[in-house]
Every structure is written in C-alpha cells, then in structure tokens.
Amino acid sequence: MKTSLLSGFVLASISLVAAADLPYGTVVTECSVPNTVAISFDDGPSTWTSGLIDSLNAANVKATFFFVGTLNNNCLYDKADVVKKAYESGHQVAAHTWTHRDLTTIGAEAIFSETVRMEIALKKILGIRPKWIRPPNGAYNNNTLDILKALNYKVATWNLDSQDWNGASIASSEAKFTALGSDPRVITLAHDALQATAQQLGPWIAQWAKERGLRAVTLSECLGETVPGGQYDIVGGAVPMDSTWKC
C-alpha cells in the first residue's frame, strides 16, 4: 500500500513538472517533449493561410501561427476570420509584432508599441493576449529580451529553417526534414505568407511528421506547457467589429 501511494505521488509530481509553464523571458529554439515537433509559420495571415489551416486540420496536426499586424499590404483585422479559424481549430496563435520591425534596432517605446498594438488586436478578435512572441528575423539582444520579459513574453525562435523566405525550392526545403533523425524535436520556420509554402510545403511537413511517427503539436505542447495557460492570458471575450478595426 505504501509503495503504491509513493508511486502515485511520484507520478503525480512528474506530471506537474512536465506541465510547468515556462517563465517570461525564456528563449526556446527546440521542443523538449520527446517525439514532438512544432510546425510554425510566420508573417500571416495571408490570402493562403485559410487553405493551409484546412490542410493541417485534415491531417489532424496542430501548428503555431506567429501572426503580424500589417505586412505586404495585409492587415490583421481584414483577416480576422482567418485568425479565428486558426484559434478555433486548436492551433496556437502567437505574436510576430505589429509591423515586422527589427526589435534590435528600436527602443523600448517602439517595442512596446509593436507588441501592444498586436495585443489590442488579438484581444478584440479572440479575447486573448498571447504569451509567446517570435521577433522578426529571430533577432533579439539582451536589451530586447529584458523588455519582452517585462512585457510578459516568452520568445521562440527555431532550429529548422525551411529557407522558404530565401527562395529555397520545395524539394530543398523537404530535404532538410528528411535528413533529420528519429526524434528531432524541431521548431520549424516557414511562412504562410508564401503561396508555395501554404499550399505545398506546409501540408507536406504535416504528412512528414505523421509518417515519422512524430506528434505535430503546438509550441506550448512541445515544451510541456499547459494549454491554454502556457499560451495565453484570457482577457475577455471577442468583441464585434467596429471602426477601430484598422491597421
């Protein structure tokens, strides 16, 4: 009986440790949970993001979308239905700043603006504040990190870059994945703002993970965080669209 109780206590303790949310200011580049991968996309929502979500849903995998407020004539508010679709499908919604500025080249006030404008938009659209951010180009320094920590953010970069942003062919991007070992624990970088990625590479990565026997999960899940506690602050329900929904 004592042995059974002790075993149960140990298992419960392990479970609590495994589900601990990471502190603000943490920087991660890879998954920590065995046999998981975090498929992530930057620079959306775009014209092609909705179709990508459909492909991921059909494959029964989850991804993380680092959405940006306004980039390449796209406005987050204009794609609010896509943001909601990603969130309601169980994918993780995270921040990629408002205008995709290099955070290492701007001051605290500008970083505050880049993050808070994104928070305001996601609060209106979803009723949440994201706890995770990916700095544009993955660029940060100690000053940037101190400011993001003070703003209650955790930082995610990647350890597998598809190079889609650099003009890599679909075949060369796929080769990066096929060359990986049996438990790579990758956080990937790709861009749903690129049509070829959204329509070809993204769905292919989802199938690659399944064929390898890996679990393609959200960023927080691949880090052993709670869901949704590790992902978001819930800050009230979404609000109806009004005249303030402008970029």
Side-chain angles (χ1 to χ4, degrees):
M1 181 65 175
K2 289 182 179 179
T3 302
S4 177
L5 287 173
L6 179 59
S7 298
F9 176 78
V10 170
L11 288 173
S13 298
I14 291 171
S15 177
L16 286 171
V17 170
D21 296 337
L22 296 171
Y24 298 126
T26 297
V27 179
V28 299
T29 59
E30 63 182 6
C31 296
S32 58
V33 176
N35 298 311
T36 64
V37 296
I39 304 170
S40 68
F41 300 96
D42 289 10
D43 294 356
S46 75
T47 301
W48 303 287
T49 304
S50 181
L52 171 59
I53 294 169
D54 289 336
S55 296
L56 297 171
N57 291 350
N60 195 31
V61 304
K62 302 303 179 188
T64 299
F65 289 89
F66 290 92
F67 286 141
V68 68
T70 177
L71 182 69
N72 298 326
N73 296 316
N74 283 321
C75 172
L76 187 78
Y77 288 119
D78 294 338
K79 298 285 194 300
D81 57 332
V82 179
V83 176
K84 290 178 182 177
K85 183 176 181 177
Y87 179 74
E88 292 171 356
S89 295
H91 304 292
Q92 185 167 346
V93 172
H96 196 42
T97 74
W98 188 250
T99 64
H100 207 267
R101 296 181 70 182
D102 184 337
L103 300 186
T104 65
T105 66
I106 59 178
E109 186 174 339
I111 293 175
F112 179 82
S113 176
E114 285 288 318
T115 55
V116 171
R117 292 186 71 183
M118 194 71 186
E119 291 176 13
I120 291 170
L122 292 176
K123 179 180 179 180
K124 291 177 180 179
I125 297 169
L126 301 176
I128 59 98
R129 188 199 75 84
K131 294 183 177 181
W132 284 94
I133 190 168
R134 174 172 285 163
N137 309 314
Y140 66 90
N141 55 29
N142 289 338
N143 182 58
T144 307
L145 194 58
D146 286 344
I147 295 168
L148 292 175
K149 179 180 180 179
L151 293 171
N152 291 344
Y153 278 100
K154 298 170 278 189
V155 175
T157 57
W158 57 85
N159 60 345
L160 195 156
D161 182 352
S162 70
Q163 289 283 309
D164 60 346
W165 58 273
N166 201 27
S169 67
I170 296 296
S172 64
S173 294
E174 290 175 354
K176 294 177 181 294
F177 289 85
T178 56
L180 293 171
S182 60
D183 185 13
R185 304 188 192 185
V186 288
I187 298 174
T188 70
L189 173 67
H191 297 78
D192 54 308
L194 299 175
Q195 184 176 7
T197 294
Q199 296 181 344
Q200 299 176 61
L201 181 61
W204 181 89
I205 295 172
Q207 290 301 322
W208 163 83
K210 294 186 72 173
E211 290 171 5
R212 283 289 189 95
L214 302 170
R215 291 194 304 120
V217 297
T218 64
L219 173 69
S220 284
E221 290 175 287
C222 98
L223 298 169
E225 292 195 304
T226 61
V227 175
Q231 301 172 322
Y232 316 112
D233 285 322
I234 306 301
V235 289
V239 300
M241 181 183 295
D242 60 27
S243 60
T244 66
W245 288 39
K246 296 179 180 177
C247 288

